[in-house]
């Protein structure tokens, strides 16, 4: 898969990630996660919290966004097999934030979830990014606990 997006955003290529990219993507996730002051302490105490499943990099669940040939962000999209897909991770390089890369990855996740037969896309969101997900079409559905503390369960219905 290689999909080009055309808009005001930087020119972007979306493609599946491969297993060899795991260390680089974990580093990207680390840099992006440290952006949240509320999480920094827990992350610095236990870096293993930032961990990507090798399986997700083998089975096509991970999609990266490239800008100028450089990975600018990535998303993990999982199918739960019950009409629901989950955006299991979404991270954009801090220096590339605010350019529409996160939104492009959500749009791609929505499309792939729909093609897989899902009718609902779910995300467990950090409190700080509730409004980002709202702007990308998600609504609040509840709260949960993660290794990093309280988080929001947000969902959006997938329509044609
Ligand atoms: C949150 C994150 C994915 C957003 O990616 P991004 O590429 O910077 O976002 P975009 O440029 O596509 O922004 C899309 C819209 O959301 C808004 N937005 C972006 N980040 C936001 C935030 N933290 N809070 C509120 N709104 C935000 C943008 O202003 C934009 O609004 P618009 O509708 O007016 O255009 C990225 O900043 C990131 O990786 N953060 C750290 C890791 C993280 O929190 N990941 C999510 C885990 S649950």
């Amino acid at each position: 898969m290689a999909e080009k997006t055309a808009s005001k955003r930087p020119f972007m290529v979306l493609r599946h990630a491969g297993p060899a990219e795991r260390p680089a993507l974990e580093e990207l996730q680390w840099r992006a996660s440290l952006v949240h002051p509320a999480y920094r302490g827990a992350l610095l105490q236990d870096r293993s919290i930032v961990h990507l499943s090798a399986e997700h990099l083998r089975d096509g669940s991970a999609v990266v966004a490239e800008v100028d040939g450089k990975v600018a962000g990535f998303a993990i999209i999982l199918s739960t097999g019950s009409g629901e897909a989950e955006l299991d991770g979404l991270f954009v390089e801090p220096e590339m934030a605010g350019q529409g890369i996160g939104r492009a990855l959500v749009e791609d996740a929505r499309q792939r979830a729909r093609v897989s037969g899902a009718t609902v896309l779910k995300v467990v969101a950090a409190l700080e990014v509730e409004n980002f997900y709202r702007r990308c079409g998600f609504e609040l559905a509840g709260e949960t606990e993660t290794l990093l503390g309280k988080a929001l369960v947000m969902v959006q219905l997938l329509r044609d």
Side-chain angles (χ1 to χ4, degrees), residues 32 36 90-92 97-103 125-126 129 131-133 135:
H36 298 301
L90 174 66
F91 301 94
V92 173
Q99 299 183 46
I101 295 164
R103 186 195 288 280
V129 291
N131 284 334
F132 163 75
Y133 284 115
R135 296 193 81 81

Side-chain angles (χ1 to χ4, degrees), residues 77-94:
I77 303 98
L78 305 180
S79 177
T80 65
S82 55
E84 186 180 273
E86 179 164 1
L87 185 56
D88 190 49
L90 174 66
F91 301 94
V92 173
E93 278 288 4

Side-chain angles (χ1 to χ4, degrees), residues 9 28-29 31-36 39 72-74 87-94 96-106 123-136 152:
R9 300 167 180 159
L28 193 165
Q29 179 173 345
R31 289 189 293 277
S33 300
L34 287 177
V35 163
H36 298 301
Y39 292 167
F74 71 95
L87 185 56
D88 190 49
L90 174 66
F91 301 94
V92 173
E93 278 288 4
M96 303 289 288
Q99 299 183 46
I101 295 164
R103 186 195 288 280
L105 285 163
V106 170
V123 67
V124 174
L127 304 185
E128 291 84 349
V129 291
E130 176 180 356
N131 284 334
F132 163 75
Y133 284 115
R134 284 190 186 279
R135 296 193 81 81
C136 291
L152 304 173

Side-chain angles (χ1 to χ4, degrees), residues 4 8 12-13 31 68 79-80 120-121 139 143 160:
K4 295 173 183 178
K8 293 175 289 183
M12 237 179 280
V13 174
R31 289 189 293 277
D68 292 335
S79 177
T80 65
V120 176
L121 182 62
E139 291 177 1
E143 293 183 356
D160 290 330

